Amino acid sequence: MTSPLPAPIGVAVVGAGYWGPNLVRNFQSSPNFRLRWLCDLDVERAQRVLGGYSTVQVTADLEEVLADPSVDAVAIATPAGTHLPVAMAALRAGKHVLVEKPLAATHEEGLQLVEEADKRGLTLMCDHTYCYTPAVLRIRDLLAAGELGELHFLDSVRINLGLVQRDIDVIWDLAPHDLSILDFVLPPSVRPVAVAAHGADGIGAGRACVAYLTLQLNTGAIAHIHVNWLSPVKVRTAIFGGSKRTLVWDDLNPSQRLSIYDRGVDVASPEELGDEQRRDILVSYRSGDVVSPALTEREALRTMVDEYARAITTGTPALTDGRSGLRVLEILQAASRSLAEGGTMIKLNEGHTA
């Protein structure tokens, strides 16, 4: 006799603007969820997202959604400044919470959400969508398995002629993607310990439109992130340089997103050298094959939604849980401080960087 399938998780989406419709579509197509509500201050916009024949209820009243016992979980796609009150209300109503990045407007606010979720035994997950792309999942596996060896450097570029935001600079707009990816793929023993940021506002927008972040890792490795709203060309690349191999990720090349180069620099250790050679460390270059792993194309949001369901049903942390969102917020706040101080290196220390 087969056991009955678990009942779908009742979910409500809060926010029908830019990102909300993508969440609606993926929750509706997931057998793990049943979309009950779409909540937005603009009810007509919410109704347009759902279409004329939907049985999903629409409201502008968050309290009405949170009072519904058929709603087990909430997904929040509203501006970052509203994340704390909306997510806190959902947690206090006993709902599991998924929050669009960033987790909150500040590290302090994010910490309040993490502590509330812990206290109530609820899932708090951050929608770091890029972490659930097939390419990033493979990069994570390769680093964990030691296929690249010890990470020496990361060089990430995320540039395009983008929408200049009114309330945040380019670091807070684009760098959360790269910082969440870095947090996601690094082995548990490797972590950033300091960050410096340099930026420029060439168009008089009143905030940085081009920025460079440099992160020091506890292993001595370095990570560099370039974000830019003003580039006429769109570039989405990251290079992970390891002691064994180097991986290049080109997100705009669907036929060859990942390339692994068996090329690099070998350095002889002092013990291997003769007395007369110890003053000159021997450097040798190797040139080997290039491999492009096959990736199964799957929408990242669908994988993220599945992970949300897994975390709720098992009671274990999501791969991008609230604490991962906190770590990203800590770096963002430290980067903002570095920018204001002319690019000084700011140490990271569990949120005490504001």
Side-chain angles (χ1 to χ4, degrees), residues 52-132:
Y53 299 99
S54 175
T55 58
V56 177
Q57 299 180 83
V58 173
T59 184
D61 185 0
L62 179 62
E63 290 186 9
E64 186 178 11
V65 174
L66 299 182
D68 185 347
S70 72
V71 173
D72 307 299
V74 172
I76 299 168
T78 59
T82 67
H83 287 181
L84 176 64
V86 175
M88 186 64 78
L91 290 169
R92 287 175 176 166
K95 315 298 184 185
H96 303 285
V97 172
L98 169 72
V99 186
E100 172 54 21
K101 64 89 183 168
L103 178 65
T106 67
H107 184 277
E108 182 182 1
E109 291 183 358
L111 184 60
Q112 291 180 50
L113 295 177
V114 168
E115 291 176 343
E116 189 72 22
D118 284 352
K119 183 172 72 175
R120 296 179 180 272
L122 294 167
T123 293
L124 175 64
M125 178 174 173
C126 201
D127 179 9
H128 290 150
T129 309
Y130 265 98
C131 296
Y132 296 97

Side-chain angles (χ1 to χ4, degrees), residues 66-204:
L66 299 182
D68 185 347
S70 72
V71 173
D72 307 299
V74 172
I76 299 168
T78 59
T82 67
H83 287 181
L84 176 64
V86 175
M88 186 64 78
L91 290 169
R92 287 175 176 166
K95 315 298 184 185
H96 303 285
V97 172
L98 169 72
V99 186
E100 172 54 21
K101 64 89 183 168
L103 178 65
T106 67
H107 184 277
E108 182 182 1
E109 291 183 358
L111 184 60
Q112 291 180 50
L113 295 177
V114 168
E115 291 176 343
E116 189 72 22
D118 284 352
K119 183 172 72 175
R120 296 179 180 272
L122 294 167
T123 293
L124 175 64
M125 178 174 173
C126 201
D127 179 9
H128 290 150
T129 309
Y130 265 98
C131 296
Y132 296 97
T133 60
V136 174
L137 289 166
R138 179 64 67 88
I139 293 169
R140 185 176 192 260
D141 290 343
L142 289 167
L143 282 169
E147 291 293 320
L148 305 183
E150 182 182 343
L151 186 68
H152 287 166
F153 70 90
L154 164 68
D155 204 329
S156 180
V157 179
R158 183 177 300 274
I159 66 175
N160 61 279
L161 199 60
L163 181 65
V164 176
Q165 303 292 324
R166 289 177 295 179
D167 54 343
I168 54 175
D169 63 16
V170 70
I171 293 176
W172 280 79
D173 183 37
L174 298 182
H177 295 301
D178 305 281
L179 295 174
S180 63
I181 290 167
L182 184 66
D183 182 78
F184 187 75
V185 303
L186 288 179
S189 60
V190 183
R191 66 186 188 280
V193 293
V195 62
H198 296 81
D201 173 20
I203 61 173

Side-chain angles (χ1 to χ4, degrees), residues 298-346:
R298 190 172 194 258
E299 187 179 2
L301 257 182
R302 179 61 186 272
T303 305
M304 187 279 299
V305 163
D306 289 347
E307 175 65 6
Y308 188 32
R310 186 204 63 77
I312 290 171
T313 54
T314 63
T316 56
L319 289 174
T320 54
D321 63 357
R323 283 181 168 78
S324 72
L326 269 186
R327 291 191 293 269
V328 170
L329 279 173
E330 180 185 5
I331 297 172
L332 288 171
Q333 284 194 185
S336 291
R337 179 178 155 193
S338 174
L339 195 64
E341 296 180 4
T344 56
M345 186 65 72
I346 304 295

Side-chain angles (χ1 to χ4, degrees), residues 181-316:
I181 290 167
L182 184 66
D183 182 78
F184 187 75
V185 303
L186 288 179
S189 60
V190 183
R191 66 186 188 280
V193 293
V195 62
H198 296 81
D201 173 20
I203 61 173
R207 62 197 62 84
C209 296
V210 180
Y212 298 86
L213 277 68
T214 302
L215 292 99
Q216 294 177 348
L217 307 186
N218 62 329
T219 58
I222 190 171
H224 192 258
I225 296 170
H226 175 199
V227 287
N228 188 340
W229 281 331
L230 307 181
S231 169
V233 295
K234 185 175 183 178
V235 179
R236 297 277 188 277
T237 59
I239 303 174
F240 295 81
S243 57
K244 294 181 182 176
R245 299 176 184 86
T246 295
L247 183 147
V248 178
W249 171 31
D250 182 355
D251 196 46
L252 301 184
N253 184 357
S255 64
Q256 190 175 326
R257 292 196 196 277
L258 297 185
S259 302
I260 301 173
Y261 292 79
D262 189 14
R263 301 173 184 171
V265 178
D266 292 326
V267 181
S269 64
E271 304 83 55
E272 297 171 350
L273 304 177
D275 291 338
E276 69 282 357
Q277 296 174 318
R278 289 185 189 276
R279 288 187 302 272
D280 302 314
I281 296 179
L282 291 183
V283 176
S284 61
Y285 298 92
R286 67 179 185 281
S287 182
D289 294 335
V290 182
V291 178
S292 298
L295 298 173
T296 302
E297 289 297 325
R298 190 172 194 258
E299 187 179 2
L301 257 182
R302 179 61 186 272
T303 305
M304 187 279 299
V305 163
D306 289 347
E307 175 65 6
Y308 188 32
R310 186 204 63 77
I312 290 171
T313 54
T314 63
T316 56

Side-chain angles (χ1 to χ4, degrees), residues 23-33 299 302 305:
L23 292 172
V24 166
R25 176 171 50 82
N26 278 275
F27 280 124
Q28 286 184 315
S29 63
S30 170
N32 297 313
F33 287 94
E299 187 179 2
R302 179 61 186 272
V305 163

